[in-house]
Amino acid sequence: MATQRIPILSFASRAENSANNAQLSKFDVSATNDQWDRLVYLFPDDGSNDTRLFGGFVVPKNFVGSPVIGWCWTTGVIAGSVSWEIGYLDVTGDDAESLDQNTIRQTDQQLIVVAGTAFNRLEDTASFTASNFAVDDEIHVYIRRRTNTDALDTAAGPAILFNMFFQYSDS
Amino acid sequence: MATHRIPIIGWSAIPDTSGNCFPEGYDVKATNDVWDRLVMVFNDTSTRIGFHGGFTVPKNYVGNAKLAVVWTTTATSGDVEWDFDYRAVGGDDAESLDQSGTQESVNLNDTAPSAAHERMETLITLTSSNFAADDEVEYLFVRDGTDAGDTIAAATMLFELLFEYTDA
């Protein structure tokens, strides 16, 4: 048995369709050194609105168990916390289950203290129920910064998302 | 020997110039609007519409190449005609990435879901010998409205396009 990780930000990734949302941005807009001008997602410090990013992926053929959704992120500020929430829905089969359901299978909320040094890489993970996932399932997923709904989200600057991944064990 | 699937809609994906194939938030056509991710929309037309893309054949590729199509629609009657045109280009300074024609063009007809928005999955068999590890695969994925078998009177939505294969 080995642990695997696959990236899950893809063509399906999209900021929430609302006035205040996660924003696709070049890293140099936030960074100081401007060496790596790649794209990242910004989750602003917006006390009036949570900010959210949607996506989708397929459970790999060699999935056995121990499902984890993780995210790699940073901030330019060095004080406060960011309140994250991950949610997902698994959809299985061929002509058996709707992709358009008013359901969230599971969520996980985590309050994370920002790094003591600006732009240090942070990695956090949320573990979920293995029996909810099956090989070839289509997974709808979101990551939300709870700037409005959690008063403990106190980092006074954007959270910068670099990657999301699905971690699991194979046989 | 194990079976694998890799997603192949990547950064190089670009719709054709028809204006009838495009990425769109799922909430535009969904009812519940819980999952506002992007999907690739194919309008109901009488022409071939689609998008171009590319991917690399994995190192552990051995054979049994297939294309898995995960899609849905709001309609509950009719069929969709999917086409997949591709060319696998190998080597280092050995073969042109700019060739005319396709290496293979395959198609598959799939029936509309029994209920709107149900997850549909269908497999298109590809010629395994056309692929080798590390090949760059150029492709065009199409809804073929010129085919008499394409009868769904609504847009179709593509959620995933996956390259399936077996390793050693």
Side-chain angles (χ1 to χ4, degrees), chain A:
Chain A
M1 187 176 74
T3 299
Q4 309 286 348
R5 281 186 177 185
I6 60 168
I8 61 173
L9 291 179
S10 70
F11 91 98
S13 301
R14 180 199 183 212
E16 185 168 29
N17 188 17
S18 63
N20 295 282
N21 52 41
Q23 303 158 6
L24 200 57
S25 170
K26 287 174 65 182
F27 184 39
D28 57 315
V29 173
S30 305
T32 301
N33 290 310
D34 297 350
Q35 182 68 44
W36 306 106
D37 295 351
R38 54 173 288 175
L39 290 175
V40 294
Y41 277 101
L42 299 185
F43 291 72
D45 172 32
D46 181 342
S48 302
N49 296 277
D50 287 358
T51 54
R52 188 158 59 164
L53 174 72
F54 291 95
F57 66 96
V58 173
V59 177
K61 283 283 189 189
N62 59 348
F63 171 83
V64 172
S66 305
V68 168
I69 293 174
W71 62 106
C72 171
W73 63 288
T74 192
T75 62
V77 298
I78 56 172
S81 299
V82 172
S83 181
W84 291 110
E85 179 180 282
I86 305 286
Y88 75 90
L89 173 68
D90 50 292
V91 184
T92 196
D94 175 34
D95 199 5
E97 188 178 3
S98 177
L99 288 155
D100 179 23
Q101 300 183 45
N102 190 18
T103 305
I104 299 171
R105 182 77 66 202
Q106 258 187 304
T107 61
D108 185 271
Q109 296 174 347
Q110 297 189 18
L111 185 67
I112 309 293
V113 177
V114 302
T117 302
F119 300 112
N120 267 9
R121 179 184 188 275
L122 295 164
E123 180 181 309
D124 292 286
T125 58
S127 298
F128 292 110
T129 303
S131 58
N132 289 342
F133 295 82
V135 167
D136 295 340
D137 277 359
E138 176 71 25
I139 307 295
H140 296 309
V141 64
Y142 71 77
I143 181 168
R144 183 205 311 260
R145 180 178 178 185
R146 303 171 65 229
T147 48
N148 179 44
T149 56
D150 188 352
L152 298 177
D153 184 306
T154 53
I160 307 167
L161 182 73
F162 279 71
N163 256 311
M164 292 183 72
F165 56 86
F166 179 61
Q167 178 178 301
Y168 62 98
S169 58
D170 64 14
S171 56

